[in-house]
Each structure stands twice: as C-alpha cells, then as structure tokens.
C-alpha cells in the first residue's frame, strides 16, 4: 500500500475521527485541555505506527500538559482504537503538538498590524 493511496487516506480519516471522539468523550484526565482537537493523523502503510497532530487552544503550558496527559493515556487510547476501528494491526499512536493554527493567528495579527500602520501613515 502506497503512502498516499485511497485506502491509506480512508484509514487516516477514520483513525482521526475515532481519536478525536476518544479524547473528547472518554478521557477524564484533568491535564488534557477541553479545547483539544486532532488536526491530522498519519498512519504508516504497514499500520504499525501513527502520528497524531494535536492542537490545543490555549497557552504553551496547556499544550505541554495536554500532550503529557495524552501520552500517559496511550495504552487506553490504543485499546479503544482497536475496539472501534477494525484494522489488521492497531497502530502505536505518537502524539505531536501542532502549533500551525496558533502560528496562523499570530501571522494574521502581524499582517493586520502592518496594514493598520500603513493606513495611518497614508491618511495623514
């Protein structure tokens, strides 16, 4: 199975949907921030490993504690994933903090700030 095959894309989407459900509804760890979302999932073609990119709406400390809480619940998450998704192998999930959304918001603020300064200079 190639990396970008239709089958692999479907598996990625299904694992992402189930992971977000498990994180949102099943895990009761207080370290995990309530505004946590699974941005994307990449399952290897042999279904052994999975990278889950997690985005947390909050400060940097909330992101770190959320990743720490998810890593401590890895066994439970993998067991639930095996129960919900029918795959030959249940992948070993590695959680990675994704800060692309925060980076995009930061860049938008910088662009707005620069355009606001240009308007002020042009209006004088």
């Amino acid at each position: 199975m190639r990396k970008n095959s239709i089958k692999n894309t479907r598996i990625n989407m299904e694992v992402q949907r189930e992971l977000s459900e498990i994180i949102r509804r099943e895990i009761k760890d207080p370290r995990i921030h309530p505004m946590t979302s699974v941005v994307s999932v990449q399952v290897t073609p042999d279904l052994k490993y999975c990278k889950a990119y997690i985005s947390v709406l909050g400060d940097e400390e909330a992101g770190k504690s959320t990743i720490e809480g998810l890593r401590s619940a890895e066994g439970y998450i993998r067991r639930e994933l095996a129960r919900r998704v029918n795959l030959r192998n249940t992948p070993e999930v590695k959680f990675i903090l994704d800060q692309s959304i925060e980076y995009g918001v930061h860049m938008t603020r910088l662009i707005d700030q620069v355009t606001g300064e240009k308007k002020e200079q042009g209006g004088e």
Side-chain angles (χ1 to χ4, degrees):
M1 180 168 54
R2 292 188 322 265
K3 187 173 182 177
N4 293 327
S5 69
I6 294 171
K7 183 178 178 184
N8 199 319
T9 304
R10 285 183 186 163
I11 290 171
N12 288 343
M13 289 172 40
E14 184 67 24
V15 169
Q16 179 180 355
R17 180 173 40 243
E18 293 301 330
L19 268 179
S20 62
E21 283 292 314
I22 292 168
I23 291 171
R24 187 175 335 125
R25 295 205 172 129
E26 304 290 329
I27 299 179
K28 305 297 183 202
D29 193 333
R31 293 177 288 187
I32 297 175
H33 196 271
M35 295 297 287
T36 301
S37 62
V38 181
V39 177
S40 71
V41 169
Q42 292 177 347
V43 180
T44 58
D46 62 355
L47 304 177
K48 298 274 187 194
Y49 302 99
C50 168
K51 290 181 184 177
Y53 294 93
I54 306 295
S55 176
V56 179
L57 187 65
D59 59 349
E60 189 174 330
E61 185 62 36
K64 287 181 182 178
S65 67
T66 297
I67 294 296
E68 185 179 308
L70 289 173
R71 286 188 180 142
S72 71
E74 247 174 36
Y76 174 77
I77 292 171
R78 188 173 184 192
R79 187 174 64 242
E80 282 296 309
L81 199 59
R83 192 175 63 79
R84 294 176 181 210
V85 180
N86 187 16
L87 293 173
R88 182 176 60 239
N89 297 321
T90 302
E92 182 181 321
V93 182
K94 180 179 179 184
F95 295 103
I96 300 169
L97 186 61
D98 183 23
Q99 298 175 330
S100 61
I101 295 174
E102 295 171 15
Y103 179 74
V105 169
H106 174 69
M107 292 305 289
T108 303
R109 285 185 187 145
L110 289 177
I111 291 170
D112 290 344
Q113 181 181 5
V114 168
T115 55
E117 289 175 1
K118 282 192 175 186
K119 285 182 183 177
E120 289 176 7
Q121 290 175 356
E124 292 180 12

